[in-house]
Amino acid sequence: MSTGTLIAIIVPVVVVLLVCALAASLIMRRRRLQARFGPEYQRTVEAKGSRRAAERELREREQRHDALHIKELPASTRDRYAHEWDQVQERFVDQPEDAVHDADRLVTSLMSDRGYPTEGLDQQLSDLSVEHGRTLEHYRAAHEVNGRSTRHEATTEELRGAMVHYRALFTELLHNGQKPRESGA
């Protein structure tokens, strides 16, 4: 075989292999983002109007998140937060609107103590989405009810639902995404 024939065979094979490698890389990156962000991945795709724009946005969120100083809480601080949460839940029976407002403040305080910036809801959602994408809808739903509650437009059942939603994110933040250890004898 002549050198020209070998080049004519090898160059297209190399090009096809490079295209396959690139496609595999893109698919793996997409799957990694889908796994990391959970439902937030599809929500971002819909909001941005394209996968490419959404994936760029999600990678930017990861970069911002990596620059944050997110930390686990010491056991004493987790215990204090858990006790405060119990008090907020107890208050719900007699003062549901106040309890929901307190739950929002407690979640925001917990976010701050963990190292998440707390300026603006959109930025909070963006920062939380990197590690807490699976519970982010809980936070959105709770925050929406909290806003309506401020205008006295939320029903008691909606307020109860908001408490459940806040608790989902609160628990995940409190235990750094881990399941809380069961105590018992």
Side-chain angles (χ1 to χ4, degrees):
M1 231 185 253
S2 72
T3 304
T5 305
L6 280 175
I7 291 174
I9 292 172
I10 291 173
V11 169
V13 168
V14 169
V15 169
V16 167
L17 289 174
L18 287 174
V19 168
C20 288
L22 179 62
S25 173
L26 291 173
I27 289 169
M28 288 174 58
R29 185 173 15 177
R30 177 171 293 155
R31 285 185 181 157
R32 184 189 64 77
L33 288 172
Q34 288 172 332
R36 182 163 198 186
F37 285 90
E40 188 66 12
Y41 177 89
Q42 191 59 40
R43 181 183 183 82
T44 306
V45 169
E46 291 169 8
K48 292 292 183 181
S50 79
R51 285 194 187 284
R52 176 181 246 162
E55 289 174 0
R56 186 177 327 109
E57 161 77 17
L58 295 174
R59 285 191 305 275
E60 288 170 4
R61 289 183 194 184
E62 285 179 322
Q63 289 172 347
R64 176 180 160 84
H65 184 273
D66 289 347
L68 299 175
H69 300 290
I70 306 301
K71 59 187 179 273
E72 290 189 39
L73 298 175
S76 61
T77 304
R78 282 195 316 271
D79 291 344
R80 178 180 55 83
Y81 271 109
H83 178 70
E84 287 181 46
W85 181 260
D86 290 343
Q87 290 177 323
V88 168
Q89 286 188 130
E90 289 172 9
R91 196 168 317 124
F92 182 82
V93 173
D94 294 323
Q95 299 169 322
E97 284 185 338
D98 292 341
V100 168
H101 300 313
D102 290 345
D104 183 72
R105 282 191 292 274
L106 191 58
V107 166
T108 302
S109 175
L110 177 55
M111 287 170 51
S112 178
D113 280 356
R114 289 281 318 276
Y116 287 99
T118 57
E119 74 277 354
L121 179 64
D122 288 340
Q123 192 61 58
Q124 286 177 3
L125 293 169
S126 177
D127 292 337
L128 287 169
S129 71
V130 178
E131 288 187 8
H132 306 283
R134 298 195 188 290
T135 55
L136 211 49
E137 277 308 307
H138 288 288
Y139 189 47
R140 280 189 178 96
H143 196 77
E144 189 272 327
V145 171
N146 185 39
R148 289 190 306 110
S149 168
T150 302
R151 299 182 305 274
H152 306 292
E153 296 172 354
T155 67
T156 302
E157 184 58 26
E158 289 170 325
L159 294 169
R160 186 199 66 76
M163 290 296 291
V164 170
H165 290 308
Y166 276 127
R167 184 177 58 213
L169 180 59
F170 177 84
T171 300
E172 194 170 285
L173 284 168
L174 188 64
H175 298 286
N176 196 37
Q178 308 291 318
K179 292 269 189 213
R181 287 189 209 122
E182 294 293 323
S183 62

